[in-house]
C-alpha cells in the first residue's frame, strides 16, 4: 500500500500530520486511515506509552466496521483478531516481546501477508520485519491533552515505541 493512496480524493498526506486534542479526535484519525487500507495492509504504530497508539488502532477497527468497544490493547495476549468488519483485523502489541525470534515464533507472516489489515503497536521492536510498504504512523505527546500524529517514511528514525 502506498502512503499516497487516496479515497474520495483524500490522501494520507492530506490527513497527516494531525494535531489531536482529544481521545475522540485520535480515534477519528484512525477511522480516516481505515478508509485507505486494503487487504494485506500493515499499519505500524510508533510512540511512547500513552501517546494514543491503541486509540488509533480502535479508530482503524471502527472504520473497518469492528465495534471499537471490543478493541483492547493485546499487551498480554500479543495478538487480537477482530472479524465481522470489511476486512479481518490483526492487532499486534510487541511491547512485551524479548526478541525478534519471539515475534517470528508467533507466525507473524500469517498476519503480515494474510487477508486482513495488521496493526502493530510498538512497531520499533520488530522494525526489521516490517515491510517497506507498511504504513508507518508516529504519535507524540505535544501537551497533556494533545498528540501529534504523523506519517513516517521507512528510512526515518522511529524514536519511541
Amino acid at each position: 500500500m502506498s502512503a499516497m493512496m487516496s479515497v474520495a480524493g483524500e490522501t494520507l498526506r492530506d490527513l497527516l500530520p494531525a494535531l489531536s486534542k482529544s481521545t475522540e479526535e485520535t480515534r477519528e484519525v484512525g477511522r480516516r486511515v481505515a478508509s485507505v487500507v486494503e487487504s494485506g495492509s500493515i499499519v505500524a504504530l510508533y510512540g511512547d506509552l500513552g501517546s494514543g497508539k491503541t486509540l488509533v488502532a480502535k479508530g482503524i477497527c471502527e472504520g473497518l466496521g469492528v465495534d471499537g468497544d471490543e478493541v483492547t490493547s493485546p499487551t498480554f495476549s500479543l495478538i487480537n483478531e477482530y472479524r465481522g468488519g470489511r476486512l479481518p483485523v490483526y492487532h499486534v502489541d510487541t511491547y512485551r516481546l524479548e526478541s525478534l525470534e519471539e515475534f517470528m515464533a508467533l507466525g507473524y507472516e500469517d498476519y503480515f501477508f494474510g487477508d486482513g489489515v495488521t496493526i502493530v503497536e510498538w512497531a520499533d521492536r520488530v522494525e526489521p520485519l516490517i515491510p517497506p510498504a507498511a504504513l508507518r504512523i508516529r504519535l507524540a505527546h505535544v501537551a497533556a491533552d494533545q498528540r501529534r500524529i504523523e506519517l513516517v517514511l521507512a528510512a526515518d528514525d522511529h524514536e519511541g515505541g
Side-chain angles (χ1 to χ4, degrees):
M1 181 189 75
S2 166
M4 293 302 293
M5 217 173 159
S6 69
V7 170
E10 179 179 64
T11 69
L12 287 178
R13 297 263 185 224
D14 296 330
L15 172 61
L16 300 173
L19 184 63
S20 170
K21 297 177 185 168
S22 69
T23 58
E24 181 54 34
E25 286 181 10
T26 302
R27 283 173 88 147
E28 180 58 26
V29 167
R31 287 186 207 104
R32 292 177 67 191
V33 167
S35 70
V36 300
V37 297
E38 56 195 23
S39 180
S41 292
I42 298 170
V43 181
L45 301 175
Y46 304 84
D48 293 333
L49 190 64
S51 62
K53 295 180 296 294
T54 301
L55 290 172
V56 169
K58 283 177 180 269
I60 293 169
C61 289
E62 290 167 348
L64 291 171
V66 174
D67 182 352
D69 292 336
E70 292 180 20
V71 179
T72 60
S73 180
T75 301
F76 294 99
S77 61
L78 301 179
I79 301 171
N80 289 341
E81 294 186 25
Y82 305 105
R83 300 200 181 263
R86 177 168 64 90
L87 295 166
V89 178
Y90 311 114
H91 184 190
V92 181
D93 187 324
T94 64
Y95 183 77
R96 298 180 58 82
L97 293 180
E98 299 287 327
S99 67
L100 282 177
E101 291 75 20
E102 190 176 351
F103 187 61
M104 292 167 68
L106 293 173
Y108 81 97
E109 299 98 333
D110 293 340
Y111 301 104
F112 277 22
F113 307 108
D115 60 348
V117 173
T118 304
I119 303 168
V120 182
E121 293 192 41
W122 298 97
D124 61 308
R125 295 179 184 253
V126 295
E127 182 61 34
L129 301 175
I130 305 283
L135 173 61
R136 290 167 166 80
I137 298 174
R138 179 184 298 132
L139 295 95
H141 296 271
V142 175
D145 59 348
Q146 292 184 356
R147 307 289 183 268
R148 180 173 171 81
I149 306 169
E150 60 189 356
L151 200 56
V152 180
L153 300 177
D156 284 356
D157 179 59
H158 302 291
E159 289 182 25

